[in-house]
Amino acid sequence: SKPEETLLRLLRTEGDLTTQALADRLHVAKRTAERHISTLRKKGFIERVGSKKTGCWQVIVSPQDSKNG
C-alpha cells in the first residue's frame, strides 16, 4: 500500500525513527503506524536490529525487489 511504501522510504533513510515520529511523518495515528510496521515485518520487508530503545529498523527488501525477484 502507499503508506507502507512511504514508511519503507522513511526507514531506509532514517531507520532510527520512533513509532511516534513515523506516525507524525505519515500524518497517521501511532497505532496505525504500528500496524504498518507489523505488516511490513510479517512480509519480511523490515526487521528490528538491536534493542527497543537503542535499536533501529533495517529495510531488508523493497516491494520493487520482491516484484522483480
Side-chain angles (χ1 to χ4, degrees):
S1 71
K2 183 71 172 169
E4 290 171 0
E5 291 174 16
T6 303
L7 182 62
L8 280 172
R9 280 197 303 275
L10 284 170
L11 292 176
R12 193 174 292 118
T13 58
E14 299 178 77
D16 60 341
L17 289 174
T18 64
T19 305
Q20 185 61 60
L22 290 168
D24 292 343
R25 298 270 182 100
L26 294 171
H27 306 289
V28 297
K30 181 180 175 186
R31 181 65 189 117
T32 301
E34 290 170 348
R35 276 195 298 273
H36 289 313
I37 290 169
S38 177
T39 300
L40 291 171
R41 287 179 88 171
K42 287 177 185 173
K43 290 180 179 179
F45 290 134
I46 62 172
E47 69 180 357
R48 184 76 180 174
V49 178
S51 70
K52 283 185 174 187
K53 188 171 183 173
T54 61
C56 64
W57 293 104
Q58 184 174 28
V59 177
I60 301 168
V61 64
S62 68
Q64 294 81 13
D65 293 341
S66 65
K67 289 178 188 174
N68 296 331

